[in-house]
Amino acid sequence: MNDREKSFENLFEVLKISEKHNFTKLRIETLQDIGHRYASIFDYNKAINYYHKSIKVAKKNNLSTENEFVNQRLFATYFAMKSDSAFFYLEKVMQNTRKNGSDKQFSDSYNNYFAYYSHKEKSELAKKYLDSSFYFAKKSKSTFAMT
């Protein structure tokens, strides 16, 4: 068994335990991790399926704040698929950022817009978002965001 197969085996075991013992947050995180593993091997449909399962569990248990991170992953997955659905999740990420965001989160969100509009070959709009991303990166002193 290779490392990838072992990681899936481990994640599904954690999922089973979290369901058996009603560890809701762990279940949500594990569903997201499974989705992320599928996305990393370019199995985007399975990734999306597990991301949506995590959202469903979070909503059912009034843990909608757990969805902020998964919306970013859904954006990245749909973006990698070159799907128009990427914009929907791009907007969801920004909505969450506007409610609760730090300067670092604003930098990251604007960087997502930069990537999206660069891909759409809308360079003026992309530049606007890159400038905004850089502004918030400097404001947050996030050297990672500036590189």
Side-chain angles (χ1 to χ4, degrees):
M1 183 179 297
N2 65 34
D3 288 344
R4 180 178 52 221
E5 292 166 339
K6 186 72 174 161
S7 71
F8 276 110
E9 181 181 293
N10 290 338
L11 284 168
F12 283 111
E13 185 63 28
V14 171
L15 182 59
K16 191 184 322 178
I17 292 168
S18 69
E19 290 169 343
K20 179 179 178 183
H21 296 286
N22 202 26
F23 297 146
T24 305
K25 283 192 176 189
L26 178 61
R27 183 176 176 203
I28 293 166
E29 291 170 3
T30 305
L31 288 165
Q32 291 176 7
D33 287 344
I34 292 169
H36 187 61
R37 291 294 305 140
Y38 277 120
S40 73
I41 60 169
F42 312 107
D43 194 338
Y44 298 127
N45 291 323
K46 283 186 182 176
I48 290 165
N49 182 40
Y50 279 94
Y51 292 149
H52 282 291
K53 284 181 181 185
S54 75
I55 290 171
K56 185 177 178 181
V57 172
K59 283 182 180 178
K60 180 180 176 187
N61 292 280
N62 296 318
L63 295 169
S64 60
T65 57
E66 300 297 316
N67 292 335
E68 293 178 22
F69 184 66
V70 79
N71 285 330
Q72 172 63 35
R73 287 187 168 178
L74 280 162
F75 162 71
T77 302
Y78 281 116
F79 183 76
M81 294 171 66
K82 297 178 174 65
S83 168
D84 290 337
S85 295
F87 189 79
F88 175 80
Y89 289 99
L90 178 64
E91 289 287 292
K92 286 184 85 70
V93 169
M94 183 52 92
Q95 285 173 351
N96 289 330
T97 300
R98 285 187 182 117
K99 286 182 198 171
N100 312 315
S102 65
D103 288 337
K104 167 84 170 71
Q105 288 169 305
F106 273 101
S107 176
D108 292 345
S109 291
Y110 283 124
N111 195 53
N112 288 341
Y113 279 98
F114 161 72
Y116 179 83
Y117 285 113
S118 291
H119 176 72
K120 295 287 185 183
E121 298 182 8
K122 295 186 177 185
S123 57
E124 287 299 314
L125 204 47
K127 184 187 178 313
K128 172 188 153 189
Y129 287 112
L130 180 60
D131 290 345
S132 296
S133 176
F134 188 71
Y135 167 80
F136 281 102
K138 283 187 358 184
K139 193 173 171 189
S140 74
K141 297 178 177 45
S142 171
T143 55
F144 176 75
M146 290 188 275
T147 58

